[in-house]
Amino acid sequence: MNLTLKVWRQKNDKSKGKFVTIQAKDIADDMSFLEMLDVVNEDLTRKGEDPIYFDHDCREGICGMCSLVINGRPHGPKYGITTCQLHMRSFHDGQTIVIEPWRAAAFPVLKDLAVDRTSFDRIQQAGGYVNVNTGGVPDANVIPIPKRIADEAFESATCIGCGACVAACKNASAMLFVSAKISQFALLPQGQTERYERAQAMIDQMDAEGFGSCTNTGACEAECPKGIKLSNIARMNREYFTAKFFREEDVHTHS
């Protein structure tokens, strides 16, 4: 296939960016989207031009690094996959493909298609942990957990922190991400020690990072490559309001 790419090029977070038209030639339909960009970058390098800067790591749909908005949709036109799992057979010869980074004030552009998502790290550091007593490791069956609860906690924990929910939301809300991280601990007995502090601390940090409020449109769930459910947001709200009513803490004293 021969394709026309309209790629967002931006030197850094201080400079103005713009779309640049680049031709992608002789693209095989069994290539992944990132492999296609590799081929384009090899061609740009041979011409002495600056290659397109984009994030990637595992290329197996696990790490969440491949953050691209493709023709207006985070991770491209397919449901339930990341950009690295998107193959070029999803496009056709002669098609124009628009590629841009996540758009959110809390995700400043580092260069071209790569954004700074360390705001997610700071949210997790605020409360995404459990305290345990040191010493001997208890047997795995000491704390029995119902299968339904274990499965639901695991489903929440499958969030890879890619940020597609933020990119899909017109308010750039991170509530689906934060609620998934809160849920995976709130559901398990091991996460009860920090239960109230966790909800307050992570939501406070989310607000401090500049993410917007939930729009209730469901775009985040629709574009999430791991299918994280909106029900997590309802659980996060319950955790937060319960903490405010019954056990409000000054979470800033713990940081």
Side-chain angles (χ1 to χ4, degrees), residues 74-139:
H75 292 303
K78 298 293 184 180
Y79 287 98
I81 62 171
T82 55
T83 300
C84 63
Q85 296 173 306
L86 177 67
H87 287 83
M88 298 312 296
R89 54 180 169 267
S90 301
F91 304 91
H92 58 78
D93 185 40
Q95 185 172 353
T96 297
I97 304 175
V98 180
I99 313 170
E100 53 190 313
W102 289 168
R103 301 291 190 181
F107 289 162
V109 173
L110 294 173
K111 184 177 180 181
D112 293 342
L113 304 175
V115 299
D116 182 356
R117 284 172 290 183
T118 54
S119 53
F120 270 12
D121 296 333
R122 290 187 289 271
I123 291 171
Q124 292 195 83
Q125 289 163 3
Y129 56 84
V130 295
N131 282 323
V132 295
N133 294 323
T134 58
V137 179
D139 185 85

Side-chain angles (χ1 to χ4, degrees), residues 217-232:
T217 61
C220 53
E221 180 181 321
E223 299 296 353
C224 175
K226 297 302 176 182
I228 303 299
K229 302 298 182 184
L230 282 174
S231 56
N232 285 288

Side-chain angles (χ1 to χ4, degrees), residues 152-173:
E152 197 170 346
F154 180 80
E155 288 170 5
S156 298
T158 58
C159 169
I160 56 177
C162 66
C165 51
V166 176
C169 180
K170 57 188 177 184
N171 279 353
S173 172

Side-chain angles (χ1 to χ4, degrees), residues 41-58:
N41 277 344
E42 288 173 4
D43 187 49
L44 291 173
T45 302
R46 281 193 295 268
K47 293 176 181 177
E49 299 178 28
D50 192 21
I52 302 165
Y53 196 89
F54 63 94
D55 273 334
H56 62 92
D57 191 3
C58 74

